[in-house]
Amino acid sequence: MSQTINEFEPDRLELDLENPRFGLTDADGEPEALRILATRANLRELWDSINQRGFERYEPLVAFLRPDGKYVVVEGNRRLAAVKTMLDPALLEGIRITPPPLDPAIKDTVKTLPVIVVAKREDADDYIGFKHINGPATWGALAKAKFGVKLFATTQIEPGTTDTRIQTLSKRLGDSRQLILRSLVAYKIFEQAKAAGMLDEKMVSDNSLDFSHLYTIIQSPAARAYLGLTEAPLNEALIKDNPIPADHLDQLGHLTSWLFGSEVNGPVIKSQGTDRPKLAKILASRHATETLEQTRDFDRAADEAGFKTDSWLNSVIQLATIAKNVSNGVADLPADMDPDNVERAQERLTSTQRSVVAAQSQLKSLFS
């Protein structure tokens, strides 16, 4: 990428309507793109910075020239949006976000902006990928996936290697092959669900859907089977339009509703750490899955999938571990231990022993 820095007036620079920050939302033009960035990308911190120190020139924007003489900025859209809206606050009419007045002493710093010009959009891909995938200004998961899908489509296999396209892309972005693969497959599934009207349009437009739920759940073989994909590990062939077979669109509708909610119902997933593993186990049980499809009762479906049993067995294991530690610890007690504490310990141990004997008796009567 050329390091020659040019100076252009902000009016000659256009926002990139393909900016990955837009996620699944399509910006119809620059006015809408400005409103999206003002709503989602926290321009306020940039407005404050510009008013305090002027436009920071140490990191130029990156742009390519369109036939109409305008330059499309492929790196630095957020900074460009901050400048444009401070120069003309009317650009944000219709939303409740208003830029602060531009300090007159700072105005000269935004008359022109530093820009590196590349011949075409793709010439900046490696730089953008490094900066926003694993670099100092990382995007959210959905923006990363959108950029990755675009880059995957243009990635060429390195000559003289046995690498696949996803392995080559992994080297370019500095991320693991498996993480990139499931992120890109999940993005194509996300696009398919949006096109089929399965996602809440308001949540799509304000980018409030937690994309990580989807790319995490498809690690589960049961989830992949539920969607009509192979239970085998994900592969490059699934990075395509409409990866979910037509005869599994109902299942895709159920899954997106459970993960993200709908215009009628909220999501059943509340916590990535606890609920997502439960959903994966539910999907491995036909009866539990049917219960969730028919009732949306997540706790009942989890019980049918065996979580109540698992919880009970975990309690038994914990009890056995604690009991062993208590038994081994008796020998280390001081000889002059307070008699009241000894009596209290005896009472608790006797009570615990009765509970254990009662549990053993019930297990024997129920399952013998």
Side-chain angles (χ1 to χ4, degrees), residues 19 27 44 67 82 93 143 148 270 273 290 293 356:
N19 188 336
R44 191 164 302 282
E93 283 183 353
K270 306 298 182 186
E290 289 175 352
E293 289 175 342
V356 170

Side-chain angles (χ1 to χ4, degrees), residues 189 192-193 196 198 214 221-231 238 242-258 283 286 289 293:
I189 295 172
Q192 184 176 3
M198 297 174 180
L214 182 58
R224 296 197 294 272
Y226 182 69
L227 291 174
L229 306 175
T230 174
E231 289 189 38
L238 295 173
N242 302 319
I244 305 304
D247 60 355
H248 280 70
L249 290 182
D250 285 346
Q251 288 88 333
L252 177 59
H254 283 305
L255 185 63
T256 54
S257 174
W258 297 333
L283 293 174
R286 182 172 62 85
T289 301
E293 289 175 342

Side-chain angles (χ1 to χ4, degrees), residues 29-88:
E30 182 160 279
E32 184 178 1
L34 284 168
R35 288 192 290 270
I36 292 173
L37 288 173
T39 302
R40 297 184 192 169
N42 190 16
L43 297 186
R44 191 164 302 282
E45 66 178 8
L46 288 175
W47 292 331
D48 292 343
S49 172
I50 290 170
N51 260 343
Q52 289 172 16
R53 296 185 296 276
F55 187 87
E56 300 284 7
R57 314 187 77 76
Y58 60 85
E59 186 180 1
L61 310 179
V62 180
F64 67 91
L65 179 62
R66 268 196 336 223
D68 63 2
K70 289 285 185 86
Y71 289 86
V72 177
V73 172
V74 292
E75 169 53 30
N77 277 261
R78 189 166 162 262
R79 288 174 287 151
L80 177 60
V83 170
K84 282 179 175 274
T85 52
M86 290 186 83
L87 290 172
D88 185 4

Side-chain angles (χ1 to χ4, degrees), residues 278 281 299-315:
K278 286 185 179 180
K281 186 158 186 176
D299 291 335
R300 177 181 164 192
D303 287 347
E304 290 186 13
F307 265 89
K308 184 176 288 186
T309 299
D310 288 350
S311 177
W312 183 84
L313 286 172
N314 285 335
S315 296

Side-chain angles (χ1 to χ4, degrees), residues 77-147:
N77 277 261
R78 189 166 162 262
R79 288 174 287 151
L80 177 60
V83 170
K84 282 179 175 274
T85 52
M86 290 186 83
L87 290 172
D88 185 4
L91 291 171
L92 294 182
E93 283 183 353
I95 65 174
R96 296 181 179 178
I97 300 173
T98 304
L102 183 62
D103 187 332
I106 295 298
K107 197 166 185 178
D108 282 348
T109 73
V110 295
K111 281 185 176 179
T112 64
L113 303 179
V115 182
I116 292 175
V117 178
V118 293
K120 57 185 184 299
R121 174 191 298 277
E122 291 73 23
D123 291 344
D125 280 345
D126 284 345
Y127 170 70
I128 294 171
F130 161 75
K131 181 176 179 181
H132 294 295
I133 301 297
N134 280 313
T138 56
W139 286 321
L142 185 58
K144 288 182 182 180
K146 183 176 184 177
F147 180 76

Side-chain angles (χ1 to χ4, degrees), residues 336-355:
D336 59 348
M337 183 174 173
D338 188 320
D340 288 341
N341 287 337
V342 173
E343 183 177 355
R344 188 157 51 248
Q346 287 281 18
E347 291 174 354
R348 289 298 180 93
L349 287 171
T350 300
S351 175
T352 301
Q353 184 182 32
R354 291 196 192 103
S355 297

Side-chain angles (χ1 to χ4, degrees), residues 159-170:
T161 73
T162 58
D163 287 352
T164 62
R165 271 202 296 167
I166 203 72
Q167 288 170 320
T168 301
L169 182 58
S170 173

